Amino acid sequence: MPLRSAGRVSLNRDIADIRNAQERTQKVLDDTQQQVSQIPPLSFQVTRALEATAENKKGIEAANARVDRVVESLGGKLDTAIESINKVATRVEVLSRKLDDAQERAKKTMFRTPIVRP
């Protein structure tokens, strides 16, 4: 009889070990299932982030193109303004010389009477 009770204890222990192993395996499976269930939403978020990044890149490129056009336009207008200012400065200088020459001629041709003191 003692062999039978020892066999039962060993069998009971084996069954308990198997149940514990099943519980641990089930817990690992549950954790894995929970983590796997998070993959589709994360995949969608990553895809959406990539799309948003591409949209931002296109927007930045368009903004850069607009800024380049503005810079070109302002550069051309600035060149035109500088050219006009230089022309005006040249005209002022020429007119100033003509005025100086006219004043010099007026001084030379001006009749000067001597001052006589009584």
Side-chain angles (χ1 to χ4, degrees), residues 64-109:
N64 285 343
R66 289 191 300 270
V67 168
D68 289 344
R69 285 193 304 271
V70 168
V71 167
E72 278 182 26
S73 174
L74 287 177
K77 289 179 181 183
L78 185 59
D79 289 342
T80 302
I82 289 170
E83 186 177 317
S84 296
I85 289 169
N86 286 337
K87 286 179 182 178
V88 169
T90 302
R91 288 180 187 158
V92 167
E93 191 175 318
V94 168
L95 290 175
S96 176
R97 283 188 196 144
K98 286 182 180 179
L99 192 60
D100 288 345
D101 290 346
Q103 286 176 348
E104 286 297 319
R105 276 187 262 131
K107 285 182 184 177
K108 289 179 184 177
T109 60

Side-chain angles (χ1 to χ4, degrees), residues 27-42:
K27 185 176 180 193
V28 167
L29 287 174
D30 291 343
D31 290 345
T32 304
Q33 181 62 35
Q34 182 184 8
Q35 291 174 358
V36 167
S37 69
Q38 294 174 5
I39 290 174
L42 291 174

Side-chain angles (χ1 to χ4, degrees), residues 1-15:
M1 225 31 176
L3 286 175
R4 287 186 179 177
S5 86
R8 285 185 185 166
V9 171
S10 174
L11 185 60
N12 287 339
R13 205 175 285 154
D14 290 344
I15 291 172

